[in-house]
Every structure is written in structure tokens, then in C-alpha cells.
Amino acid sequence: MPGDLTLPAVDVERTFGAGFVQEARRYERFFYVVWVLAQIALLATLWLYARRGTAFIRESSAGPIGTGMLLAMLGLGIVWLVILPFRLASHWWDRRNDQSDLDYFSWLFEDWAVLGAEFLSICIALLIVMGLARWLGERWWLPGAAVFVAIAALFNFVAPYLDFTTEPLRDKALLASAERYEGELGLSSIPIRVEEVSGYTDQANAYAFGFGPSRRVVFWDTVLQEPFSGGEQRVVLAHELAHHSQNHLPEGIAWFALFSVPGAWILMRTTRRRGGMGAPEAIPLALLVVVVFQLVTTPLANTISRRMEAEADWKALQVTRDPASLEGLMVGFSETGLGDPDPPAWTQLVFGTHPSLADRVAMARAWAARSGN
Amino acid sequence: MAVDATPRPIRLVVRDDDLRRSRLTVFFRFFLAIPHFIWVTLWGMAAFVVAFILWLAVLIEGKAPENLHDFVAGYVRYATHVSAYVFLAANPYPGFRGAPGYPVDVEIDPPERQSRWTGFFRLVLALPALMLAGALGSGFAVGTTLGGGTAGAAAVYAGAGVGALAAFLAWFVGVVRGAAPRGLRDLIAYALAYGAETAGYVLLLTGRYPSSDPSLVQPAAELPAHPVRIEVTDDLRRSRLTVLFRLLLAIPHFVWLTLWLVPACFAVIAAWLVAIALGRVPSALHRFLAAYVRYWTHVLAFVTVVGRRFPGFTGREGSYGIDVVIEPPVRQRRLKTLFRFFLAVPASIVAGALGGVLFVVGVLGWWAALVRGQMPEGMRNLGASCLRYNAQTYAYLLLVTDRYPYASPVLAGRPEPATEPPSLALPWDAF
């Protein structure tokens, strides 16, 4: 992406339609309110749990690490209970605005399953952290961060091989385009797969994952249906391939490493008074610290993510040479996802993993202006 | 909630401890009982109608009329006699009048005042007890009552669950040996005792809720010495939060149990080979497998709310409130070791059925503990006794002991004598 690139102003009401923009803003405003309230509830709950949570030690017959696991799982469970009404409200709002067909029972069942996976993940994380802390004392934080980075890298690498829910893409025209784009981006053949989600959502999405030999691109089947045109689908494809050509996934892991090291150090320092991360008494406080750390670093992480996405957009424009399709795609995204094309700046800091739709349209126009299209 | 020590208004009494059975009547037991099946169904229909009148009487007067109470009480007693006969808990052919004095009998107190509110909602309130009675296979009294006397409902309650399975196994033993195994007889008697209490509650003979405590049967059955015992030191309080998330909290334990299973399988194969060669399982393998049995029991106790606390991951003895005490290794008979897998089949069937009971205990206990912050003691004790049998079965299967599991639902027994006891020859000796 050129360093001197300045994005032209976009009249969102003209581009996306005045009525639609109003509706999208009304739709998203609800989530902003719910999110703020949920964060207040979350922090208050974790603060209380950090103070009182150690009382649950008496509910354990396990050793220090097992007890730590219990406290962490209970902490997550309490947070889940406290956040549940907010999530329910969000789901209700999604259903009311035709953004989800998932019934409440299925939604709740799915949520329990997710909670179970989170319980297991936090147990594994604590096994590592507490095990290292009990072995190395306060010096655990550096090898601890390294282990988590290694796990993240391993997970990113292995995850595509563990994906049994997607099917290979069968659209021959799109596959031919993929071959051409890969040539231009300097990539070798990357499997393109399709995930069926149209049964429960109309939202459109695609993603790239894996690195090295495990690289994949996955389309949600909603992207391969109306209202998205062939040109728009090719833009999506080029965008995801660009993530691989620009090595965004390994770069993401490198950023994670940069966040993990200070994060682990802060965790070590803040839990020192409770006996350090080797002691179960420190776990409720550790949960609070991790959540606050995540909250504080979210704007920075989102800024990095937005830069990568903008770079992928620019690359996609270079290989497709089709700014009109990118613009059409953004309009399509906003319609299917009822997304505000030009959200308030503060929400971009918190939620903006991608540039706003208006900024992406502006980029398409900037590219067109530069290339004379 | 402690088990109420006052005498229960409906009590199952084992009047005759004679375990001898006539092989001929055992062989044809089911067919011999056909006239009783017809009569119990007809009486059940009549009792159902009378129970409706009792229900109205309880709503209006707060007490059942004595003559109607006696009619229904006679039915419950008779249905229990028939169940005991069919399930081989008793040997003599029962009379058709339900007269007191049968070897497995039910004593029912005269009518007492009952709460109109619990009377009004009796069927709804009885649902948990009926679920447990279903899992226990508690005989004809519950089935015919619930189905308004229909044979289908009777079959569901009598033909499934622990009682029926125990009767099925006892039938083989009875035909071969001319005697009922004491453990299975005690287990059937317990199931019938719970069934009689449940039927009496549903039919408004009493307002007292059925107790699932395994010590219901009189006289209390005795647990013989066994190298695998359960020790309950837990209290009944439960943290509602840990109860709410109980199944999810157990996820790391499920993962660890699965991982542990892999070396445990290799250890069992090694122990089996060594025991056949030397007649003894090496101490290290014994300790490893015993720890697995203990850990498995701790986890199951936690999941089913029978245990209070989050268990440790090592299966260390004395580390949990519902603990398994396992004696050090002793000599094992080579022949029994050789055929261990096949010999364990009957015990595994009973263990599976008790697993079903444990599941119901877990579901009901979960609700009870969530609402009251406490596990009902009777239910906890029943769960612990199911765990005891399952631990003994696992220990037998994994060559930790060659003593066969003992099926009686009683929780505590005599401690194992210090000297090495003689091994029992065949599984049914100890059932």
C-alpha cells in the first residue's frame, strides 16, 4: 500500500443509500450500548471475584494446579452467567433485524458447548502457567509467553488439517481466477474451500488461515450466493489470497508474541502479592488482569488488524483491477450484515478489526484514480 | 437434609432370611406368576380408582378414610409380594389377598393427617421418586399404580431397571444352585422397598416422601468384608455455583481419565500376564490400577453431585470425600485370572444398571442441590453405594482384586480382616 495514499471523502448516504445508513446505525447503536453495559458488568464481576473468589478453594480436593483450574473455570462460569443477558439481548436484536435464524434453544445449547471448550482451554493454559510458575518461580513469565506463542503458531499451522466442516470449492470460473491471482501474488496452489453457514445466517464472510503448507482460504457459502456478483466474489478471493502473500498470519503470531511477553510479565507482577501464579489464590485476580489487559490492548490490536486488512484490499485491487466490484462488495456486506458503513471513531478502536466500509470504498476509488480506471 | 430417623410409615421387612429356592419353581417362576399378573392388574385398576377417592378425601378432610386406606395398602402389599416372588427375592408362592406374613413383606401404618397442598400436587411431586423407581425397577406396585392398573405401565416399571436385571441374573443362579445370591436378593429387596414407598406416596397412603437411603430394608443388610470399600467422609452441603457448572467443570477430568485409560489398558494386560504366571499382580501395577479405580470413582462422584469437592487428578487415597479404600495386593487364583473378562460379565451388567441409577441420582441430586444448596442424604448414600459396586466391578475387571463385587446396596460394612481371606470360588458366591 503506498505510503502517500490519501483516501477521498465518501458520501456514505449516496453510496449506501440514506435510508439504509439510518437503519444500520440504529441497528448497531443497540450493540454499542449492550457492549458498554456488558463490559461494566464484566469488570465489576471480575473485580468482585478477584476479591472473594478464593473462598471457592474449600470446594476443591485437588492440589494447587487442580484448584487453580477450578477457580478459573468458576470465574469463567460466573462471567458467562453475568454476560448471558447481554448476549441474549444481542441475539434477540439480531433475530428482530433478520440477522440470525438461530432459535433461542439452539443458541443457548451452542453457547454451553462454547463454554465447555473455554473451560478446557483455560485448564490447559493454567496447567502450563501454574506448572511453570511452580517450577521456575517468578521467572515463569518469559518461558510462559514463549510456550503460548509456540502453541498459537502450532494451532494456526495445524488448524486447517483439523477442519472437517468445509468442502472444496467447485466453481470452475472462480478456481481459474484463483490460479491466476496466485501466480500474480507469487503463491503456490492454495486450497479454496467452502463452509456452509446459510442455514442459520445471511451474513457474508471469508477467511484465510494456516501458514506454510497448511494455508487455506475458506468462503462462507453466503458469499457465493446472491446478491454477490462474480466480480465481487473474485475480489473476496483476491483479498484472502493477499493475506497469504503478505504473510499476515505469521505476522499476526509475531504481534501476539510482542503482546504476550509484557502481558505475562504484568501477570507475574500483579499476582505476586497473592503468592504468584503458582498459587491458586492468585487465579481470580489473574482473570481480572488478563481481561483488563485485553481490553486495554484491543485498540492497538485492532489498529494492526486494520492495517493488514487495508493492505489485503490494496493487493486485491492490484490483481483484480476491479474497484467497482470492491465497492459493490462493500455495499453488499453492509446490506447482508446491516453494518454501519461509517461508524463512530471510538467504535472502530474497540470493534474495528477491518477498515470501515466507507474507508474501503474510498480505497477502491483512490486506486481507480491512481490507475486511471 | 439428614435421613429422618423416625420409623417410616411404609416399611419393607425381610421376615425370612432363607435363601434356598426350589429349582423347579425358579425355572417356571414367570409362568407360575401368571395368575398373579392378572390379579395384580385388576386390583391395581381398582386401587387406582380408590386412590382418586383418597385424593378427594385428603383434599377435603386432610386424611384418608381408614377402610379405603386399608384397601389400597393391601394392594401395595400384595403387589410387593408378587414382585418379590417374580424377582426371586422370596420363595413361597404368595397368597392372593396380600395378607401380612410373606417372607418379603410391607408394613403400612394406619392413615395419618396429610398436607392438602402436597396432596393436591401429589403426582407432580412424585415425579422424581417415580424416575428413581423406574431406574431401580421397583416392581408392580409402582407400575400398575401409575398406569391406572394397565399391564404396560406395570411392565415398564417391573421389567426394566436394576431389580429386573438382578432377578434375571438370580434366575440363572437359582436354577443352577437352588439358592438366591444374598447380595442380589438384598438389592432386589431394596428396589422393592423403594417401590412400595413410592406407590404408597402416589396412592396417598402417606404424605411422607420416599427415602432412597439404602438402609431402608429391615433388618438392615450386612456388607461382608471386601478388599475394595467405599468411605464417605463428605458433608451434604453443595456450592450452588459448582453444582450449576458441574458437568463442565469435570471436562478436564474427562480428558485426563481418557488419557489415563491408555496406560491403564497396557497395565492391565501386563498385570494379567504376570498374574497368570505368578498368581500375583506386582505391587507397582496394583498401585497404578488401584489409583485409576479410585480416580474414576472420585470423578464420577463429583459429576453426579454425590461428592462435594472438585477432585484431584491423581486418585490418591484419602484425598476425596467419597473415597475408595483398596487393600494391598494378595495372591489371585490363576484360573479366575485367566477367565476374568468373562467372569466379570454378570457384574458388569449389574454395574451398568446401577450406572443408570447413578445417572438418575445425578440428575435429581443436581436439581436438589441447586435449589437447596444441599444433597439429600438418602440420595447421596444411594449414589455412594452405586459407586461402591461400580468401583468393586472395575477393581475386579482390572485385576486389582479377585474378590467378586457384592451387589447389596448397603454402604458400609465390616473392615477387611488383616489376614488374607480365602478367595471365593465363583462369582455368584459373592453376588
Side-chain angles (χ1 to χ4, degrees):
Chain A
M1 207 166 64
D4 63 340
L5 184 70
T6 27
L7 299 178
V10 172
D11 183 342
V12 288
E13 294 198 346
R14 179 178 289 179
T15 308
F16 294 90
F20 173 79
V21 171
Q22 290 307 313
E23 194 189 339
R25 283 182 179 157
R26 182 188 62 86
Y27 171 70
E28 294 217 325
R29 205 175 298 129
F30 181 86
F31 290 118
Y32 301 151
V33 173
V34 168
W35 183 84
V36 170
L37 292 175
Q39 294 311 302
I40 293 168
L42 171 70
L43 291 173
T45 304
L46 284 174
W47 180 77
L48 261 177
Y49 189 65
R51 288 175 65 96
R52 304 271 171 85
T54 48
F56 285 103
I57 287 176
R58 66 168 176 256
E59 295 299 327
S60 175
S61 291
I65 296 180
T67 303
M69 286 179 180
L70 174 71
L71 291 181
M73 288 190 286
L74 284 178
L76 278 189
I78 292 170
V79 164
W80 182 83
L81 278 177
V82 169
I83 299 299
L84 191 64
F86 301 102
R87 301 240 293 259
L88 186 64
S90 299
H91 186 61
W92 165 77
W93 189 242
D94 268 342
R95 282 173 57 87
R96 189 184 156 94
N97 288 280
D98 298 325
Q99 293 302 302
S100 174
D101 299 330
L102 202 63
D103 61 88
Y104 289 104
F105 181 79
S106 307
W107 174 82
L108 194 62
F109 183 76
E110 206 171 70
D111 225 37
W112 275 100
V114 170
L115 184 65
E118 286 175 358
F119 272 25
L120 186 58
S121 309
I122 203 161
C123 283
I124 294 168
L126 274 179
L127 184 65
I128 295 165
V129 170
M130 293 185 78
L132 284 172
R134 294 184 71 77
W135 179 35
L136 301 171
E138 286 195 340
R139 287 164 298 165
W140 70 267
W141 61 275
L142 198 55
V147 169
F148 280 105
V149 172
I151 288 173
L154 182 71
F155 183 76
N156 267 277
F157 182 76
V158 171
Y161 297 121
L162 302 175
D163 163 37
F164 303 110
T165 57
T166 60
E167 295 284 328
L169 176 72
R170 300 192 197 285
D171 185 324
K172 286 183 181 163
L174 209 51
L175 285 170
S177 301
E179 204 175 326
R180 187 164 63 78
Y181 299 156
E182 281 165 11
E184 287 191 37
L185 291 167
L187 295 166
S188 55
S189 149
I190 289 178
I192 317 290
R193 302 186 68 87
V194 180
E195 186 177 346
E196 198 178 313
V197 298
S198 52
Y200 55 88
T201 183
D202 295 329
Q203 294 195 12
N205 193 18
Y207 54 91
F209 71 149
F211 58 87
S214 73
R215 288 181 293 193
R216 302 271 189 286
V217 167
V218 176
F219 276 94
W220 280 11
D221 62 342
T222 44
V223 180
L224 301 173
Q225 299 165 358
E226 293 286 341
F228 298 105
S229 68
E232 289 163 1
Q233 290 163 7
R234 283 192 292 279
V235 169
V236 174
L237 175 64
H239 173 96
E240 299 306 335
L241 288 172
H243 278 310
H244 283 311
S245 74
Q246 299 306 108
N247 290 316
H248 284 160
L249 285 108
E251 192 184 328
I253 293 166
W255 278 111
F256 175 68
L258 276 180
F259 281 98
S260 294
V261 174
W265 183 82
I266 289 169
L267 201 56
M268 181 274 290
R269 291 288 299 193
T270 48
T271 56
R272 190 182 262 172
R273 272 207 228 161
R274 295 264 184 109
M277 283 304 291
E281 289 82 0
I283 301 305
L285 178 62
L287 284 181
L288 176 66
V289 172
V290 168
V291 168
V292 170
F293 182 77
Q294 275 182 342
L295 206 60
V296 169
T297 54
T298 294
L300 183 55
N302 283 345
T303 305
I304 294 161
S305 173
R306 282 199 300 275
R307 185 190 56 75
M308 289 182 188
E309 296 296 335
E311 203 170 59
D313 275 347
W314 189 259
K315 277 282 171 193
L317 285 166
Q318 283 181 325
V319 293
T320 58
R321 299 172 192 87
D322 189 0
S325 286
L326 180 60
E327 194 169 328
L329 182 70
M330 294 309 130
V331 174
F333 276 163
S334 69
E335 284 171 359
T336 56
L338 207 57
D340 181 358
D342 191 19
W346 75 268
T347 65
Q348 275 298 88
L349 282 175
V350 177
F351 304 113
T353 56
H354 289 60
S356 71
L357 297 176
D359 282 349
R360 297 175 87 175
V361 168
M363 179 178 282
R365 290 179 184 173
W367 187 89
R370 281 197 174 217
S371 62
N373 275 4
Chain B
M1 186 178 67
V3 170
D4 196 342
T6 55
R8 303 199 62 80
I10 298 176
R11 304 168 293 278
L12 188 122
V13 181
V14 178
R15 298 191 190 284
D16 181 357
D17 205 31
D18 188 4
L19 295 173
R20 283 173 302 167
R21 300 286 181 266
S22 149
R23 286 187 176 85
L24 194 67
T25 67
V26 168
F27 190 78
F28 291 112
R29 185 67 53 118
F30 189 80
F31 296 100
L32 292 171
I34 286 174
H36 284 294
F37 293 152
I38 296 167
W39 185 230
V40 83
T41 304
L42 293 173
W43 197 345
M45 290 164 81
F48 187 76
V49 174
V50 173
F52 181 70
I53 301 168
L54 285 184
W55 183 67
L56 292 175
V58 166
L59 289 189
I60 296 164
E61 303 232 334
K63 192 177 176 182
E66 195 149 354
N67 51 349
L68 296 181
H69 171 92
D70 290 347
F71 177 80
V72 177
Y75 161 71
V76 171
R77 203 163 36 238
Y78 171 65
T80 306
H81 294 172
V82 174
S83 304
Y85 180 69
V86 175
F87 285 1
L88 300 164
N91 197 42
Y93 198 67
F96 285 81
R97 295 173 56 203
Y102 193 68
V104 175
D105 201 8
V106 182
E107 292 176 349
I108 301 173
D109 285 350
E112 288 176 344
R113 291 205 71 78
Q114 297 187 36
S115 151
R116 288 182 174 85
W117 278 109
T118 63
F120 184 75
F121 292 109
R122 186 58 52 94
L123 263 181
V124 178
L125 292 172
L127 280 177
L130 288 168
M131 276 174 68
L132 193 55
L136 286 168
S138 301
F140 296 100
V142 182
T144 45
T145 300
L146 194 66
T150 56
V156 167
Y157 270 82
V162 172
L165 264 171
F168 174 73
L169 295 171
W171 185 85
F172 287 100
V173 183
V175 167
V176 174
R177 306 195 65 206
R182 182 179 296 279
L184 283 182
R185 197 281 308 267
D186 290 348
L187 182 59
I188 294 165
Y190 165 72
L192 296 181
Y194 190 74
E197 278 214 32
T198 306
Y201 182 71
V202 174
L203 296 174
L204 296 122
L205 296 179
T206 176
R208 187 122 161 234
Y209 206 80
S211 165
S212 55
D213 199 276
S215 61
L216 272 183
V217 181
Q218 293 175 354
E222 199 174 65
L223 200 63
H226 197 286
V228 179
R229 299 186 301 278
I230 201 133
E231 264 184 17
V232 180
T233 54
D234 230 357
D235 60 21
L236 297 171
R237 281 174 302 155
R238 299 288 181 269
S239 145
R240 288 184 175 86
L241 193 69
T242 66
V243 170
L244 177 66
F245 292 112
R246 185 80 28 147
L247 208 57
L248 294 177
L249 291 173
I251 287 175
H253 284 294
F254 293 147
V255 173
W256 185 232
L257 260 181
T258 310
L259 292 174
W260 197 340
L261 184 63
V262 179
C265 286
F266 287 110
V268 167
I269 294 168
W272 186 69
L273 292 171
V274 175
I276 288 174
L278 304 176
R280 198 179 194 101
V281 174
S283 291
L285 282 176
H286 175 88
R287 273 200 307 277
F288 180 76
L289 291 168
Y292 182 74
V293 170
R294 252 192 315 268
Y295 176 57
W296 180 85
T297 308
H298 294 170
V299 172
L300 210 55
F302 177 70
V303 170
T304 53
V305 203
V306 173
R308 174 184 167 178
R309 294 181 173 84
F310 187 75
F313 287 79
T314 55
R316 188 167 49 82
E317 189 172 318
S319 67
Y320 200 61
I322 306 288
D323 201 19
V324 182
V325 178
I326 298 176
E327 300 292 328
V330 293
R331 291 197 69 76
Q332 299 195 24
R333 290 191 176 181
R334 288 183 174 86
L335 200 63
K336 282 174 74 178
T337 305
L338 185 65
F339 295 108
R340 181 63 54 93
F341 182 79
F342 299 102
L343 292 173
V345 169
S348 303
I349 291 171
V350 176
L354 287 174
V357 174
L358 196 57
F359 174 77
V360 176
V361 165
V363 172
L364 299 178
W366 187 83
W367 281 105
L370 199 61
V371 173
R372 309 186 56 178
Q374 209 169 33
M375 182 74 170
E377 188 174 2
M379 207 172 280
R380 193 279 305 271
N381 290 348
L382 174 61
S385 89
C386 293
L387 285 168
R388 192 261 303 155
Y389 186 83
N390 284 12
Q392 287 181 348
T393 306
Y394 252 111
Y396 183 72
L397 199 59
L398 299 183
L399 300 155
V400 172
T401 176
D402 71 349
R403 191 76 60 83
Y404 212 71
Y406 191 70
S408 171
V410 182
L411 198 53
R414 297 192 305 267
E416 177 79 340
T419 54
E420 191 171 313
S423 286
L424 298 169
L426 288 166
W428 48 67
D429 286 322
F431 237 133

